[in-house]
Amino acid sequence: MRFETAAIHSEGGPCPATGAIVTPIYQTSTFVFEDIGKTKGYDYSRTANPTRKALEDTIAALEGGKAGSAFATGMAAETTVMHLLQQGDHVISQEDLYGGTYRLFENVMRNFGLEFTFVRMDDRDEIEAAIRPNTRMIWIETISNPLLNVVDIGMVADIAKKRGLITVADNTLPSPYLVRPLEYGIDLVVHSTTKYLNGHCDVVGGAVVTANDELGERVRFLSNAMGTCASPFDCWLVLRGIKTLPVRMMQHDKNASVIAAFLERHPKVKNVYYPGLKSHPHYKLAKKQMKGSGGMVSFEIIGGAKAVKSFLRRVKVFSLAESLGGVDSLVEHPATMSHASMRESFRKKVGITEDLIRLSIGLENIDDLKEDLGQALKRA
Ligand SMILES: Cc1ncc(COP(=O)(O)O)c(C=O)c1O
């Protein structure tokens, strides 16, 4: 099945009991045994649930992977994946990383004896130089949050394969519609399904898709043992969202391209970060690796803290809110919101400045979005 068809038809066909075209919400904690040791395939919803399975199969199909697992949040998915490692293991990740992932690594997983090095993920020499005898994993974001750097996935997979390291790609920002990391040799894909996969700002969720069954089994074991799985209702919402992922992604991309070009021309704007702009350092890589440039645009405003505050207070169509990837356009200030948990000195080193503003471009009329940013910038 092609992507658009798989997004609609991977959940397993009509309900065998009633013919319902949509997978029902199996809102049950437990399943009755037919006899001692004999079930219909399910025994307890922490271990497996039919609505969750429909979502897991769908995300696995979209990522071109072997096995999918759905989690309560993106962070629950990430926490579960980190438990593939053991005390004393070393992880290489990138400097410009979602703030919550950085916090999980630095403030939680370090306490359990894991070690981390953060590198510029576009520099092969820097990645190779960071490898130690105890390195076990390389963790990337396919498009980084919030600076929207594009990582050369094949290059990272190649480095890791030569040394037997596990690779994890957080594919939240592009979604599998724009790029499928497993095709480049990545071992595990992680998602915050809260974002584009669900797409409607009405659920938090996460997912992991693995390149092989063995890793899939290990993730499933951890999910059951740690209890990090998603609820049936949340899975149902994400499943419903996924059916329109292809059309939504095309429109997010179209709107974001117009906004990025508009901002680049604006006199109150310093730097615009959008992989679809020729000025972006990874423009050529993005064109080669992805089917589009995505729906996120970041930029720096001229005028310091006063301009930032004034802009954020003046936007009307854009809502000041964390998160991204929904039909609603959102605006946020990484330094005080999504990346506030990152050490200030580290944020500075990475380039997440106090003037940086991140936009999640939604599906409203493009003229309304442009006019809204225009009026807020004019008076900022
Ligand atoms: C790139 C990325 N990964 C992971 C997460 C965490 O996902 P969740 O908020 O669903 O726990 C986020 C949340 O913003 C994100 O932007």
Side-chain angles (χ1 to χ4, degrees):
M1 280 192 283
R2 290 169 183 82
F3 193 94
E4 293 78 359
T5 316
I8 295 167
H9 290 291
S10 300
E11 62 182 74
C15 166
T18 64
I21 195 163
V22 172
T23 303
I25 307 168
Y26 286 89
Q27 193 68 36
T28 182
S29 59
T30 194
F31 300 82
V32 178
F33 280 54
E34 290 181 321
D35 198 357
I36 297 165
K38 192 169 170 228
T39 67
K40 286 189 158 73
Y42 295 93
D43 52 29
Y44 188 56
S45 276
R46 168 159 44 74
T47 314
N49 173 286
T51 316
R52 197 164 80 231
K53 185 174 183 315
L55 173 62
E56 293 171 339
D57 290 349
T58 300
I59 299 181
L62 296 187
E63 284 289 1
K66 282 281 183 207
S69 295
F71 295 89
T73 65
M75 292 317 301
E78 297 191 9
T79 303
T80 306
V81 167
M82 292 316 286
H83 283 75
L84 292 168
L85 301 175
Q86 289 183 358
Q87 193 176 18
D89 287 350
H90 173 241
V91 179
I92 297 172
S93 190
Q94 71 204 60
E95 290 180 333
D96 56 321
L97 192 64
Y98 166 56
T101 306
Y102 175 83
R103 177 175 55 198
L104 172 71
F105 292 174
E106 280 292 282
N107 302 349
V108 182
M109 300 317 297
R110 260 193 205 281
N111 297 337
F112 290 85
L114 294 185
E115 298 166 16
F116 296 89
T117 302
F118 299 94
V119 299
R120 282 183 49 122
M121 211 41 94
D122 59 358
D123 186 336
R124 185 173 189 126
D125 292 341
E126 199 176 324
I127 303 168
E128 289 183 323
I131 296 173
R132 305 178 192 162
N134 60 336
T135 304
R136 294 284 172 272
M137 181 183 277
I138 304 184
W139 181 295
I140 61 169
E141 284 181 3
T142 44
I143 301 181
S144 73
N145 180 1
L147 292 173
L148 309 174
N149 283 311
V150 180
V151 171
D152 186 338
I153 307 169
M155 185 256 289
V156 173
D158 182 56
I159 295 171
K161 284 258 174 321
K162 287 188 174 131
R163 291 163 180 84
L165 310 179
I166 301 176
T167 41
V168 183
D170 182 336
N171 202 31
T172 299
L173 262 63
S175 91
Y177 183 69
L178 297 186
V179 66
R180 307 207 308 170
L182 301 179
E183 288 173 353
Y184 291 83
I186 292 293
D187 298 312
L188 295 107
V189 166
V190 169
H191 275 284
S192 166
T193 56
T194 313
K195 310 298 186 312
Y196 289 105
L197 286 175
N198 175 62
H200 293 76
C201 298
D202 52 12
V203 73
V204 286
V208 175
V209 178
T210 60
N212 61 58
D213 287 325
E214 194 230 319
L215 267 175
E217 269 313 304
R218 287 172 67 194
V219 171
R220 215 164 276 155
F221 168 82
L222 288 169
S223 167
N224 185 41
M226 295 166 63
T228 43
C229 59
S231 79
F233 181 54
D234 289 352
C235 290
W236 185 85
L237 281 173
V238 179
L239 255 180
R240 178 182 153 117
I242 280 178
K243 290 173 202 279
T244 55
L245 177 72
V247 280
R248 282 188 288 106
M249 285 314 289
M250 282 193 286
Q251 192 61 30
H252 281 298
D253 187 288
K254 212 168 148 192
N255 281 359
S257 303
V258 174
I259 295 297
F262 166 76
L263 290 173
E264 202 170 43
R265 287 192 306 269
H266 201 284
K268 291 255 178 83
V269 170
K270 261 193 291 202
N271 292 310
V272 183
Y273 302 88
Y274 184 64
L277 287 176
K278 285 204 172 115
S279 56
H280 191 283
H282 306 136
Y283 172 75
K284 280 197 182 132
L285 172 65
K287 277 262 167 294
K288 195 172 87 185
Q289 191 170 272
M290 301 197 301
K291 218 156 114 189
S293 308
M296 301 297 297
V297 181
S298 296
F299 69 98
E300 282 172 324
I301 194 166
I302 291 171
K306 213 167 144 224
V308 169
K309 276 192 192 147
S310 160
F311 174 81
L312 293 177
R313 285 181 183 139
R314 286 200 152 93
V315 282
K316 295 192 181 91
V317 181
F318 281 79
S319 301
L320 178 62
E322 309 236 8
S323 203
L324 58 100
V327 292
D328 306 60
S329 287
L330 304 180
V331 59
E332 70 114 13
H333 183 228
T336 57
M337 296 169 72
S338 60
H339 290 69
S341 56
M342 218 175 227
R343 253 181 298 123
E344 197 186 337
S345 56
F346 191 77
R347 265 203 322 265
K348 278 213 173 92
K349 176 173 178 262
V350 173
I352 303 170
T353 65
E354 301 293 317
D355 303 338
L356 186 74
I357 290 170
R358 191 190 75 184
L359 303 174
S360 175
I361 309 296
L363 303 184
E364 299 91 342
N365 185 288
I366 188 62
D367 293 333
D368 289 329
L369 296 180
K370 258 198 321 196
E371 278 168 28
D372 193 33
L373 295 177
Q375 63 80 20
L377 278 170
K378 194 171 164 193
R379 296 187 293 155

